[in-house]
Amino acid sequence: MRALIDPAGRGASGRAGRRERPRTRFPRGAVLACLLAVLGAADARAAEPVGVAYLERRIERPNPLNNEDPVPADQGLRGAELGLRDSNATGRFVGLSLALDKAVVEPGADIRAALAGLLAGPLHPRFVVVNAPAEDLLALADAPEAKDVLFLNIGAPDTRLRDADCRKRILHVAPSRAMLTDALVQLLVFKRWTRILLVAGPGAADRLYADSLRRSAKKFGARIVAETTFDARGADLRDSALREFALATRGPEHDVVAVADEAGEFGTNLVYNTESPRPVVGTQGLTPAAWGRAVEAWAAAQLQERFRKLAGRTMDPADWAGWMAVHAVGEAAVKLKSADPAAIATLMQSPAFEVGGFKGRALSFRAWNGQLRQPLFLLWPGAVVGAAPVEGFLHRSTELDTLGLDRPESACKAFGG
Amino acid sequence: MTARAPRHRIALLALTAAPFLGPAPSRAAEIFVTNERDNTVSVIDSESYAVTRTFPVGRRPRGVVFSKDGKRLFVCASDSDSVQVIDPDDGKLLANLPSGEDPEQFALSPDGRTLFIANENNATTTVVDVETHSVKAQIDVGIEPEGMAVSPDGKTAVTTSETTNMVHWIDVATLAAIDATPVDQRPRHAEFTRDGKTLWVSSEIGGTVAVIDVATRTVRHTIRFEIKGVASDRIQPVGISLTDDGRHAFVALGPSDRVAVVDARTFEVTGYILVGRRVWHTALTPGQDRLVTTNGVSGDVTVIDVATLKAIRTVKVGRYPWGAAIRPVPPGGGVAK
């Protein structure tokens, strides 16, 4: 099986990937054409499937508060499976295929061992879609046995992974918290709802979300007028919500109540329970997300339909990211007409690579931190309220870069930027 | 090459004749527009620009085309999973053709007998005999087939797949997919030139139009667009119309709210015409003197004068107008009953 990877080809394209890129701007098409010419030569055979692995760590979640449907156990994975199916439907026209292997580990289990198992498996995957927390992702990317692997992050929104803790071997398909809160605050500023009362839960992720909201508010000229924390573990919300939330949301004049409750311990119950009649935004209420049930435009309805047929449920943000990750690998392979993983990885990481994602624009990975540029949706459970970048937020190269860490803002050094 | 000379002559004749003609002979036509959201078709009179009638059709009507004699209107009712055959005079449903799932666009063979239908949801092209209402074949193509076209000689059909990003070539004699040509992201519409030598394909997310040599099935030229003050990713080519004289190509540019005018010989973009919001498709009148555009978000149709390349009218239609088809008004008016 090893023989299918051409060592010479790998070495050559690997070096090309690390080479300093000239700053001069060429027309995109020309750059891509050159790349294709160089990389396409690396492997003309293209008979063996391109190996992709899916690796997940299960997360313990609190019990549902309001009899919600449980979070699907196969969230993310089913998206990756649809991505595989879509890629193969395309690949057969150029004699290419992808194959998917998967491993899911329980909380506390050794995820590096699971990675080693996947890498030693029959597919020898060089692309690993990871649906796991930030610490796992870093441990995987730093593992010596993974030095030829390109990781695709679909589960960790941590902004630090796109900042000082970035890794050259990780592309982030999932949006960062910074992108999510930037999207939300853009909408608030557009609507002139700029006075924010912030209620944060006690979890570490809640603090990160609150930090991110503060940063976004500052970036776009909104204002946090008061902050409070709320620990749902202190009370039975079913009995005390009416009074407890009124107390927690009492404060100076504000336009919205922003909630930071990533695990979903109280945020849903805060809606309509605030002291003043104000909308709830953030992790519940009006939420920024990469995807959601109500997303319909730009042919999203077609993708939603394909997913529903495959999985028998709605497509969640992690499913979209799983689909997108595999679709991006497939798209790069088809563009190259090559199954050479090194060439595919190099193309994916190059600024010339563009891929569709049912979001109405061509998507690409940021050259300075590996983050996928993408529009985000502002949703409540019933409908799409808007999409970001919101009209009027301008950027010198692409408005998509108004979301998340822009080149000068990112402390990421691994990409040579 | 041999076809070139006569074409020039025709163009010259038209130019010299025009000033002496005075009021043009009746070029009355009827413009049929599908309203995707309203499940209706609006009919516009090309001289008064009035909506003369609106009739209900199946759910989410998109692609629309006339039979060669103009007596039957075919409508893709995407969400009803059927292609409806409709009497254009009174809007009466004549038949539901078996269409496969989620038909989006289609093309009629030059002999008018065979309909090639792109089934967006299940990655097939369905081939239907229009006379017998029977399915002749279902051909596997790429994911989300959308654009459909049949070559003028009737020998080749093409469909574009929006997620696979390819043009799939179908041999009409054997009804088999024989080749695929990769194009830019999200190809939506395909249009053969009149001589059948060239195929134009728009890529919505790629923001380009590929001019493909039919003999070699390779992209010969890629047209790009640039509009001052409009972000490049808002320029999303969808519908294409080519004038029979080989001079102009018109490309609808989606949310940039403009139609590009392209010199069809040099492939140079010579101008942009501001139309309604989110322009989907375009159609030329039989006299080729007017181009109409369907503007999905503003719910109207823009009429462009081909001679001056200026928008001259806006006609309000239903919600989310999408497809357009035009027929000459039958002798004696025909319509009013």
Side-chain angles (χ1 to χ4, degrees), chain B residues 101-175:
Chain B
E101 204 184 324
D102 193 27
E104 176 139 348
Q105 280 207 64
F106 47 23
L108 197 59
S109 61
D111 64 7
R113 274 211 60 144
T114 313
L115 206 53
F116 292 81
I117 306 165
N119 300 117
E120 189 159 26
N121 269 354
N122 64 352
T124 54
T125 293
T126 300
V127 187
V128 173
D129 186 312
V130 173
E131 305 300 327
T132 63
H133 298 187
S134 60
V135 174
K136 289 167 82 169
Q138 281 206 307
I139 303 162
D140 280 349
V141 292
I143 295 178
E144 286 175 46
E146 161 123 3
M148 275 296 339
V150 184
S151 62
D153 65 5
K155 289 181 179 162
T156 310
V158 296
T159 185
T160 65
S161 54
E162 294 174 318
T163 296
T164 296
N165 301 319
M166 288 179 186
V167 175
H168 303 273
W169 303 81
I170 295 166
D171 177 45
V172 173
T174 58
L175 293 177

Side-chain angles (χ1 to χ4, degrees), chain B residues 181-324:
Chain B
T181 305
V183 290
D184 284 341
Q185 297 280 322
R186 214 172 159 70
R188 287 208 70 147
H189 189 81
E191 199 76 32
F192 280 96
T193 52
R194 217 178 164 201
D195 61 11
K197 289 180 180 163
T198 310
L199 180 74
W200 292 54
V201 174
S202 61
S203 286
E204 187 179 24
I205 297 295
T208 58
V209 167
V211 181
I212 298 171
D213 179 53
V214 172
T216 59
R217 300 184 199 119
T218 51
V219 177
R220 198 171 120 207
H221 190 87
T222 302
I223 302 168
R224 294 166 205 283
F225 306 92
E226 205 172 314
I227 306 170
K228 231 180 201 144
V230 177
S232 62
D233 55 8
R234 309 302 287 168
I235 300 173
Q236 303 187 340
V238 185
I240 300 172
S241 286
L242 305 170
T243 56
D244 285 346
D245 62 9
R247 280 183 65 192
H248 297 302
F250 296 99
V251 182
L253 296 178
S256 75
D257 309 337
R258 282 163 177 85
V259 169
V261 184
V262 181
D263 183 320
R265 293 180 185 132
T266 63
F267 311 132
E268 196 186 325
V269 181
T270 55
Y272 298 94
I273 304 167
L274 189 65
V275 294
R277 292 185 59 208
R278 196 157 187 200
V279 51
W280 284 117
H281 284 282
T282 60
L284 284 158
T285 52
Q288 306 255 305
D289 54 343
R290 299 279 188 269
L291 180 84
V292 300
T293 73
T294 53
N295 312 317
V297 172
S298 49
D300 49 31
V301 162
T302 303
V303 182
I304 291 166
D305 177 45
V306 174
T308 60
L309 300 175
K310 286 199 163 43
I312 53 170
R313 279 293 178 128
T314 303
V315 184
K316 200 80 193 156
V317 289
R319 286 184 299 170
Y320 297 14
W322 198 91

Side-chain angles (χ1 to χ4, degrees), chain B residues 16-38:
Chain B
T16 46
F20 306 105
L21 277 176
S26 175
R27 51 172 163 71
E30 284 187 322
I31 303 156
F32 287 65
V33 174
T34 53
N35 300 305
E36 196 185 342
R37 191 79 185 176
D38 279 354

Side-chain angles (χ1 to χ4, degrees), chain A residues 186-203:
Chain A
Q186 282 191 358
L187 185 83
L188 297 182
V189 169
F190 177 82
K191 298 191 78 72
R192 300 176 194 231
W193 298 348
T194 51
R195 296 172 301 175
I196 301 168
L197 188 142
L198 174 59
V199 183

